[in-house]
Amino acid sequence: FPVTILAEVNSKAYEYINTTPVEYKDCLFEMSDSNRKNLSDTQEALTLQSLTSTQWNSKDDTLVELTIEDIQNIRLNLILGEIQKLWLVKQPYYKNLVEKATTLDELNAIVIDYSVDVVSG
């Protein structure tokens, strides 16, 4: 039974990455692997073409002008920061709760919600 909940700890973490956006310039940007690659490829293309900005259609279907610096900020600060917080703080927190539970009631009381901040330690 704890193995099932540990699997849920990880599956919900991946679900969070693939369904939860970050916000920048009042627009939403996906954290998914494919969107991170699109942002990286766009940044590379702009650099190679000596361009400084491009139009981007955000997750909430808003056209926004993004500079290379904007793209770097979205990728390296917002998305990577959220992913690091997920895997270095939140996922270990929930994993620890599951591993420390000694009764079925304690396991059932664990609510895995990556959208809330947790205190590690």
Side-chain angles (χ1 to χ4, degrees):
F1 189 69
V3 172
T4 305
I5 296 178
L6 285 174
E8 184 181 350
V9 167
N10 287 335
S11 67
K12 283 192 173 186
Y14 287 110
E15 179 183 320
Y16 179 77
I17 289 172
N18 288 310
T19 60
T20 307
V22 295
E23 187 175 337
Y24 184 77
K25 287 190 169 182
D26 295 322
C27 297
L28 300 177
F29 297 88
E30 297 173 55
M31 291 193 292
S32 65
D33 287 342
S34 62
N35 198 55
R36 290 195 320 266
K37 178 152 180 31
N38 287 342
L39 286 164
S40 179
D41 289 350
T42 300
Q43 180 181 333
E44 181 181 355
L46 289 172
T47 302
L48 290 172
Q49 296 172 48
S50 299
L51 299 172
T52 57
S53 67
T54 189
Q55 288 287 309
W56 188 272
N57 191 9
S58 67
K59 179 176 175 59
D60 50 336
D61 206 24
T62 302
L63 282 178
V64 60
E65 183 83 11
L66 294 180
T67 65
I68 290 174
E69 292 78 18
D70 289 332
I71 294 170
Q72 286 176 327
N73 188 39
I74 294 164
R75 286 179 53 231
L76 302 177
N77 294 330
L78 300 178
I79 295 175
L80 186 58
E82 191 61 35
I83 289 172
Q84 285 179 324
K85 185 169 34 171
L86 173 73
W87 292 111
L88 298 177
V89 178
K90 294 179 179 183
Q91 188 272 355
Y93 169 82
Y94 289 115
K95 183 177 180 223
N96 187 45
L97 283 181
V98 170
E99 289 173 344
K100 284 188 171 183
T102 57
T103 67
L104 189 56
D105 285 343
E106 287 176 348
L107 280 174
N108 289 334
I110 298 170
V111 177
I112 303 163
D113 183 355
Y114 287 108
S115 67
V116 298
D117 285 331
V118 298
V119 179
S120 62

